[in-house]
Structure formats: C-alpha cells, structure tokens
Amino acid sequence: SKATVSVLNWLFVVTSYQIMAVGKNPRLSKGGKRTAKKKIGDTMLGKEWYDLVAPANFTTRHCGKTLVNKSKGTFSGPENIKGRVFQHNLADLMGKSDDDVHKCRNVTLKAEDVQGRNVLTNFHGMCLTTDRLRSLLSKWCTLIEGAVEAKTTDGFTLRVFAMALTKKRDTQVKKNCYCQTSHVKKIRTKMAEEITKCVSKNTLEKVVKNLQQDSLGEDIRKACVAIFPLTGVNVRKVKVVRSPKFDAQKLIEVHGGESHIPKSVEGGRQLQQDAAPKEEEEAAADEADD
C-alpha cells in the first residue's frame, strides 16, 4: 500500500543519513589531496650585486650597490638594471661634506649602462629635503614660485622649479612684508630669464656644478633686488624631462673617461676577503701569548 511505501522510503533516508554521518567528511573537493610542500632554498643565491658609479662631477664615485637576478635564458640582468633610479644625499656624493648647501639636497641618478659589475649613472634630478623646505616657509611674507623648461646645449630638457620669499626692508616698521601681484609677476619673469640663461648656455655637466654650488639662487636674488628684497631664494627641484638618444661614448666622457671609472669590487667580495687577515692576526696574537 501507499502507507507501507512511504514508511520504507523514510527508513531508507534515515539509514543513509546515519551512514553519511559516521566519520568526518574528507573535503576532497577543496584543495585536493594534501602533498608535501616544496622546499624553498636561499633566494639570494640566484642574485648578483652591482656597484653604482656616480658621474665625475661628484667626489664619491662608488655611491652604492644594486641587486638583480642572475641572467638566465632570455632574461638579462644588466638589461634589467638599465633605467633604475637611485636617490642620494648630495653631502654623501661630495665626500661626506659638512656644507649646509650639500646636506639639504637630494640628487637622483639614473642607470644608463652596465660595464662588467659597474652601473654607470647620469644626473636625473635634484630636490630640496623636506625638512629644509619646511624650515624656509614663514608667516607675514609672500611666497613666490616659478617653473621653467629649458634645453641644455647637449640636448637635455630640464624643468626647473624656483622659490623665493619676500623680506622686510632695513627701515621697515610694519609687521608684514607682502608684495603686490604686479611685483610677483615681475619677479617670476626675472626668475624665468635667469634660469633659461643658466641652462640654455651650458651643458648638463656645468648646470649640475651650478646646482651643487647653489649659485643660481644667488643670481635670481641679485636680479630681483630692484623689484623687491627677497630671502630664501632656492632652486626647489630640478627634473630631467627629456634626454637625447643614448650615446655610450658621451656617457664615458661624463664619467671622466674609461681610466677614471673605478674598478668594481663585485658584490661585496672585498668585505669577505678583509675578514681573513683579521683571523690570522688573532691567531698570531694567541700564539705569542702562549
């Protein structure tokens, strides 16, 4: 009868449910069968160290190191390094200089070519450090900023950002020293003229020397004295916007020639070699004590 069939169906469902409930579901549908994890070796064994070489404008030629995977198959380590950008403090590049002009500036160098384990870099930009920039700003005066694009004689297009602050006259009693909008426009025009004159008549190498000495800021201040007295005149930032087609020979000239490029120590091997003589000296000292 229908009642008997329904009772049998109910018993079948209950028994099957009890059978499924015995033991834990292995959950093979998620993640599959568990296997032993692959052992990961030391990743640094597949990498190589390269030495960064700064242009001849700077005192410290070996200015750092960079890391890259070893060349393998179609992958080339030296080609992977080209185009990397490195930031250094100007004081470190000038032989740990104590000059405040050097301490408050960061220089950006770009990797252009690789020779052996040496990475030849070229100037890529410069900017004031954040703490120096914040310390220049003050109240009760007008901040004047200007940006100019100019091309050097060797084909580099630079975007130069300059800044200046107005200051009180010697006999002034008034609290503030704000200047009129007409003065701001005239000062900004003078800024553009001085920057264009400095950049367009020199090579990149000479422009970098002027930036190291901070002579451009002083030239802008002298040119604007007749308009309004200024203080805190600085080149805030310099960017290399466009550069000419890569020429290996010109890059070597920027580095002072092949004879002036320092030899690479090949990834810190010198540090390991220096450790051996110290161990020998200690052993000799122990023998002497005995």
Side-chain angles (χ1 to χ4, degrees):
S1 64
K2 292 182 179 180
T4 308
V5 172
S6 61
V7 169
L8 290 173
N9 289 337
W10 180 79
L11 288 171
F12 175 76
V13 170
V14 171
T15 53
S16 62
Y17 175 77
Q18 289 175 349
I19 292 166
M20 289 177 65
V22 174
K24 193 175 180 181
N25 186 2
R27 298 176 66 86
L28 295 175
S29 60
K30 292 190 176 181
K33 191 176 180 182
R34 297 286 184 260
T35 56
K37 289 185 179 180
K38 188 178 178 181
K39 291 184 179 179
I40 300 172
D42 188 3
T43 55
M44 295 301 291
L45 295 175
K47 298 181 184 293
E48 290 177 330
W49 288 97
Y50 285 79
D51 291 305
L52 304 178
V53 183
N57 285 339
F58 304 102
T59 308
T60 305
R61 300 302 305 280
H62 268 156
C63 57
K65 291 181 182 294
T66 188
L67 192 65
V68 70
N69 291 331
K70 290 181 180 179
S71 299
K72 190 176 182 181
T74 57
F75 176 80
S76 174
E79 288 297 324
N80 188 261
I81 292 174
K82 291 178 184 178
R84 290 186 184 182
V85 175
F86 308 94
Q87 191 177 61
H88 302 273
N89 189 265
L90 183 56
D92 293 335
L93 292 175
M94 299 304 292
K96 296 184 179 179
S97 170
D98 289 331
D99 194 345
D100 291 336
V101 174
H102 296 156
K103 286 180 179 179
C104 64
R105 282 170 171 76
N106 289 329
V107 176
T108 308
L109 302 175
K110 185 178 180 181
E112 297 284 354
D113 196 15
V114 179
Q115 289 188 353
R117 286 294 186 90
N118 274 335
V119 179
L120 304 184
T121 62
N122 202 356
F123 179 80
H124 189 62
M126 191 207 72
C127 63
L128 283 176
T129 56
T130 306
D131 57 335
R132 174 64 175 167
L133 193 60
R134 299 290 183 271
S135 67
L136 289 171
L137 302 176
S138 59
K139 296 194 295 183
W140 315 116
C141 62
T142 304
L143 172 65
I144 305 162
E145 291 185 297
V148 184
E149 274 195 20
K151 196 172 186 178
T152 61
T153 54
D154 50 355
F156 289 87
T157 303
L158 304 181
R159 186 177 294 152
V160 184
F161 300 84
M163 63 172 288
L165 296 162
T166 56
K167 75 170 184 177
K168 291 182 181 180
R169 291 182 173 85
D170 295 335
T171 57
Q172 184 174 329
V173 179
K174 196 174 180 180
K175 184 179 181 180
N176 62 56
C177 54
Y178 300 125
C179 67
Q180 297 176 356
T181 308
S182 60
H183 290 153
V184 173
K185 289 180 179 178
K186 288 177 183 177
I187 290 169
R188 199 173 283 134
T189 305
K190 281 287 183 184
M191 272 184 182
E193 288 175 3
E194 290 295 325
I195 292 168
T196 306
K197 184 171 71 174
C198 175
V199 174
S200 60
K201 293 184 179 180
N202 293 314
T203 61
L204 180 66
E205 190 176 355
K206 289 184 179 178
V207 172
V208 173
K209 281 186 178 179
N210 288 337
L211 293 172
Q212 289 173 2
Q213 298 164 3
D214 197 27
S215 59
L216 185 54
E218 187 63 22
D219 293 341
I220 293 170
R221 190 191 66 79
K222 288 178 181 177
C224 298
V225 164
I227 303 169
F228 206 96
L230 298 176
T231 184
V233 184
N234 282 287
V235 174
R236 182 173 61 83
K237 186 188 285 186
V238 180
K239 290 181 184 178
V240 176
V241 181
R242 283 181 293 276
S243 56
K245 191 175 179 181
F246 174 71
D247 187 350
Q249 190 60 38
K250 282 187 179 179
L251 182 64
I252 290 172
E253 288 176 7
V254 169
H255 282 265
E258 290 186 2
S259 59
H260 292 278
I261 297 174
K263 291 183 179 180
S264 172
V265 295
E266 293 192 1
R269 291 188 186 180
Q270 193 177 24
L271 299 176
Q272 296 174 2
Q273 290 170 2
D274 289 342
K278 288 183 179 179
E279 291 177 0
E280 292 176 2
E281 289 176 3
E282 289 176 1
D286 292 339
E287 289 177 3
D289 293 338
D290 294 340

